[in-house]
Amino acid sequence: MASKRSVSMRDVAALAGVSIGTVSNVLNNPDVVSPATCEKVTAAIEKLGWVRNESARQLRAGRSNAVGIIVMDVQNPFFTDLIRGAEKYCYDHGLSVYIGNSDQIPEREASLLDRFESSRVRGVVLAPIAPQTDAAERLRRLGIPVVLVDRANNAGFCTVGMDDIEGGRVAVKHLLDLGHRRIAYVGGPSTLSQVANRRRGAEIALDSVPDAEPLLTVSTPTLDIASGVTAAQELAALPDVERPTAVFGANDMVAIGMLQGFFSCGLRVPEDVNIIGYDDIEFAAAAAVPLSSIRQPRHGIGRTGAQLLVEEIDAADGKCEHTHQTVLLSPELVSRRSTSAVA
Ligand code: RIB
């Protein structure tokens, strides 16, 4: 079956009896074309059913009208809420969005940044995996703005993120205030600055209570439910006198996994063990035992990241001035049934 040649801008020009440049002006700069000519070209476009290849046009113009958003784990509602906040802001400002999931794999993050660069994105909102930002710095040198989110601060970039040291301190102070003295921190890998900083905050809280035992740390390969289930089963297997009476999950996905893990081992929450998570995703409140957590303004982090990126793009176009900003958010404790005073 003969393939129907796709209709081109040349066909539109021929049918309307004008040059290709006139068709381009009708589409991109109609003020310089007479109304009669605009009508002829518009009629030809409708008659032929021609659709402009926007991506090709933008690439010919040297850049797209899109931005990239890269996160670590699209299965984690923390990141899907962050993406929603960023995407809405971009949509409201006429920008399309390409979304990439690095799956906590640095090589994949770098590859996604390369692909976004070759797609001529206007900028990138990045939730980085590693403390180093080599690939992001290369994009900046190529003139493509990058804003880091879920990152407390990073010289040379706009950043939007939680003070995770303070967040970890607030989480464990809550457990200490309830009378717990044998506390565990569950999460990993510790190469993630979020994980390391939350643990640091937990240790600071413990330092202020002389009779508290040293923090028991259970490192996990990922920050997901499966890792939480496994960690809880390890902790449940400890002798009663060694088992922590309270655990702090590095994020809510780990904490929800621990809820499942302790249940599967016959331990009750909060009667036998308390759990507090981090992020306050929607499922925290909806969990079988509503989860105490440290709230992160996820949608707002995404929106603010996109806002800073659009400002940096406009500055690159000479429309405004821009200086890099560090937006450091304060943690908010949300206490629910998964934590209670020691009997
Ligand atoms: O990126 C992993 C975790 O760090 C997320 O769950 C969220 O807490 C982020 O800050």
Side-chain angles (χ1 to χ4, degrees):
M1 179 175 153
S3 65
K4 184 170 180 291
R5 179 175 69 81
S6 63
V7 174
S8 70
M9 191 188 273
R10 186 178 306 280
D11 298 321
V12 171
L15 181 61
V18 299
S19 69
I20 288 180
T22 300
V23 175
S24 177
N25 279 335
V26 167
L27 296 170
N28 302 309
N29 198 4
D31 296 346
V32 304
V33 186
S34 73
T37 301
C38 283
E39 280 178 27
K40 278 199 301 185
V41 170
T42 304
I45 288 172
E46 287 169 4
K47 183 173 177 60
L48 293 170
W50 178 69
V51 177
R52 173 163 61 172
N53 182 334
E54 181 62 13
S55 303
R57 184 188 71 80
Q58 289 173 4
L59 287 176
R60 277 196 301 277
R63 64 189 183 200
S64 74
N65 201 35
V67 299
I69 302 179
I70 300 176
V71 296
M72 271 193 268
D73 177 5
V74 287
Q75 280 185 300
N76 180 345
F78 169 85
F79 290 111
T80 44
D81 293 345
L82 184 153
I83 287 169
R84 283 187 65 228
E87 194 277 338
K88 182 176 186 319
Y89 188 90
C90 291
Y91 177 84
D92 291 345
H93 286 76
L95 289 163
S96 305
V97 169
Y98 302 149
I99 293 171
N101 176 44
S102 63
D103 253 347
Q104 275 185 239
I105 303 168
E107 295 73 21
R108 187 177 169 89
E109 178 183 284
S111 167
L112 284 165
L113 286 166
D114 287 344
R115 291 184 186 189
F116 283 175
E117 178 215 338
S118 56
S119 302
R120 296 287 188 276
V121 296
R122 299 298 313 279
V124 177
V125 173
L126 170 65
I129 300 167
Q132 303 76 18
T133 51
D134 303 351
E137 280 156 11
R138 192 172 57 74
L139 241 63
R140 292 190 62 76
R141 286 196 296 273
L142 293 170
I144 299 176
V146 177
V147 171
L148 303 181
V149 292
D150 191 23
R151 176 60 56 89
N153 53 53
N154 212 108
F157 293 90
C158 286
T159 58
V160 186
M162 175 69 73
D163 179 347
D164 283 324
I165 294 176
E166 179 60 7
R169 189 194 70 79
V170 168
V172 169
K173 181 179 183 303
H174 173 60
L175 299 175
L176 292 165
D177 291 348
L178 291 171
H180 297 282
R181 292 297 181 269
R182 189 182 313 126
I183 297 171
Y185 176 66
V186 176
S190 57
T191 48
L192 284 180
S193 59
Q194 300 91 325
V195 172
N197 288 339
R198 291 166 198 173
R199 186 183 65 240
R200 179 76 195 102
E203 290 163 346
I204 291 171
L206 286 172
D207 289 347
S208 63
V209 175
D211 64 337
E213 296 185 22
L215 186 68
L216 173 63
T217 300
V218 178
S219 185
T220 60
T222 52
L223 284 171
D224 55 19
I225 287 175
S227 286
V229 172
T230 304
Q233 291 167 343
E234 279 178 32
L235 292 169
L238 292 174
D240 288 0
V241 295
E242 291 177 29
R243 189 172 66 235
T245 62
V247 291
F248 168 27
N251 73 359
D252 286 345
M253 301 292 274
V254 170
I256 289 168
M258 289 197 283
L259 203 52
Q260 291 178 17
F262 286 128
F263 282 166
S264 70
C265 297
L267 289 176
R268 300 164 301 164
V269 177
E271 296 79 358
D272 299 322
V273 59
N274 277 209
I275 302 176
I276 186 168
Y278 203 104
D279 294 338
D280 197 27
I281 59 175
E282 197 176 352
F283 299 123
V289 177
L291 193 65
S292 295
S293 189
I294 299 295
R295 176 168 295 158
Q296 291 213 66
R298 306 171 302 285
H299 197 274
I301 291 172
R303 186 182 64 250
T304 305
Q307 185 178 354
L308 290 170
L309 184 66
V310 168
E311 186 186 288
E312 202 165 333
I313 290 168
D314 287 348
D317 290 347
K319 294 178 185 170
C320 66
E321 295 298 317
H322 173 79
T323 50
H324 293 321
Q325 296 184 41
T326 297
V327 179
L328 192 59
L329 304 164
S330 299
E332 178 191 347
L333 171 65
V334 180
S335 177
R336 298 192 177 100
R337 277 187 35 226
S338 69
T339 52
S340 64
V342 173

